[in-house]
Amino acid sequence: DGLKNIADEVFYGSEYVLEFDNCTLIEELPENAFVGYKGNSLKIPSGVRRIGKNAFNGVTGKIDWAENNTINVIGEYAFAGYKGDHIEIPVSVTEIGNYAFFDCDNLDRIFVPASVKTIGEYAFGKVTASIDLGTTTLSNIGKNAFALYDGEIVVLPNTVTALCEKVFYEANNLKNINLADLQDLTTIEDYAFYGVGLIDFTITKKVTVIGRYAFAMCQNLGDIDLNGENLREIGFGAFYGCDSLRRVSIPFVGETIN
């Protein structure tokens, strides 16, 4: 119970059954702590506030959280390469770091709680699970957050005002995203949906800018409704390489089409 710290790589490749959820004084799981751990399950102690880089890379067993957990930060690469089929993000988490869930290709669903305020670059890259951020109050979905995402469904919160550069870059399998629900969306930045698998989409009325190559190389895209009453700019190459495109509806209010 009095254990406060564990060293990097301390359980690297271990096959032993680990029970340390009563070690409530541990505040951080260090880098590579459980890489390749072969046990059936792990329970993270309630005192842990931060998870370090690659902590669970290659782990196949179930990961649970002790009751009353206080985890705030899921750090860079924290669950990258995790091979289990389920992970729950606790409601105390405020930050998901760069590459946090990168290459978690066995997960079936990820629910992001309302507490999350920041999502790092490539946080969900190479993830095949559906991802639901619908209860969060995020206003910006940051650069590269879903770049290389391999799943088909993402639910965004209706509080989003900006989709940042390369946010869904080369998310080739993405088929379903609730763009039509984002009534406060104003900006779709450069390369935001470059190479995604969308078949059609509708832009809401507050969008003012569609950036350069924003929807380029969306080769399944057939129909586009740019219904934004405030649309002022469509950037260079915005729909470049959309070979299946059949119809584009553009309001007669635009000032710049490059």
Side-chain angles (χ1 to χ4, degrees):
D1 291 2
L3 184 66
K4 293 183 178 180
N5 299 295
I6 56 177
D8 293 1
E9 303 183 12
V10 65
F11 298 114
Y12 195 113
S14 175
E15 298 182 8
Y16 298 106
V17 176
L18 300 177
E19 295 183 0
F20 74 123
D21 53 295
N22 61 334
C23 299
T24 57
L25 298 180
I26 297 175
E27 293 189 354
E28 180 171 358
L29 299 182
E31 291 188 17
N32 303 313
F34 299 96
V35 170
Y37 174 65
K38 297 178 175 62
N40 292 326
S41 64
L42 279 171
K43 182 171 282 189
I44 300 172
S46 61
V48 171
R49 294 181 179 274
R50 184 182 183 91
I51 298 174
K53 186 175 181 179
N54 281 327
F56 298 101
N57 190 301
V59 173
T60 58
K62 182 181 180 182
I63 297 176
D64 283 325
W65 307 84
E67 292 184 12
N68 303 315
N69 68 79
T70 56
I71 179 74
N72 299 129
V73 179
I74 296 178
E76 292 187 353
Y77 293 90
F79 289 95
Y82 172 58
K83 297 305 178 186
D85 59 9
H86 177 77
I87 188 70
E88 181 178 336
I89 301 175
V91 295
S92 55
V93 171
T94 59
E95 179 181 337
I96 297 175
N98 297 343
Y99 295 89
F101 294 94
F102 191 84
D103 199 27
C104 292
D105 54 4
N106 288 331
L107 295 176
D108 55 357
R109 181 176 182 268
I110 298 175
F111 177 77
V112 180
S115 56
V116 172
K117 305 302 180 187
T118 304
I119 298 176
E121 295 190 28
Y122 297 96
F124 299 105
K126 295 295 182 182
V127 170
T128 57
S130 62
I131 300 177
D132 188 348
L133 294 86
T135 65
T136 69
T137 56
L138 293 165
S139 58
N140 294 330
I141 307 297
K143 180 179 178 181
N144 287 320
F146 293 89
L148 305 181
Y149 170 65
D150 275 341
E152 295 186 0
I153 303 172
V154 174
V155 178
L156 298 177
N158 58 17
T159 51
V160 168
T161 60
L163 295 172
C164 296
E165 183 179 348
K166 295 185 177 180
V167 62
F168 288 99
Y169 184 79
E170 291 196 349
N172 303 126
N173 295 319
L174 180 62
K175 302 289 194 305
N176 191 330
I177 185 169
N178 58 324
L179 285 179
D181 296 333
L182 308 183
Q183 297 299 318
D184 292 323
L185 181 65
T186 62
T187 306
I188 299 174
E189 294 190 3
D190 299 349
Y191 295 90
F193 291 93
Y194 183 98
V196 306
L198 290 173
I199 296 172
D200 54 55
F201 69 86
T202 300
I203 298 298
T204 49
K205 64 182 181 180
K206 290 186 180 180
V207 173
T208 59
V209 176
I210 296 175
R212 296 179 305 117
Y213 296 97
F215 293 91
M217 304 305 295
C218 293
Q219 297 184 351
N220 296 325
L221 195 59
D223 295 286
I224 303 171
D225 285 311
L226 306 179
N227 293 329
E229 299 172 1
N230 300 297
L231 186 62
R232 294 291 181 267
E233 181 176 343
I234 300 175
F236 182 85
F239 301 103
Y240 175 81
C242 296
D243 296 338
S244 300
L245 196 59
R246 300 183 302 270
R247 185 183 66 86
V248 180
S249 174
I250 303 176
F252 188 66
V253 294
E255 293 180 356
T256 306
I257 298 178
N258 291 320

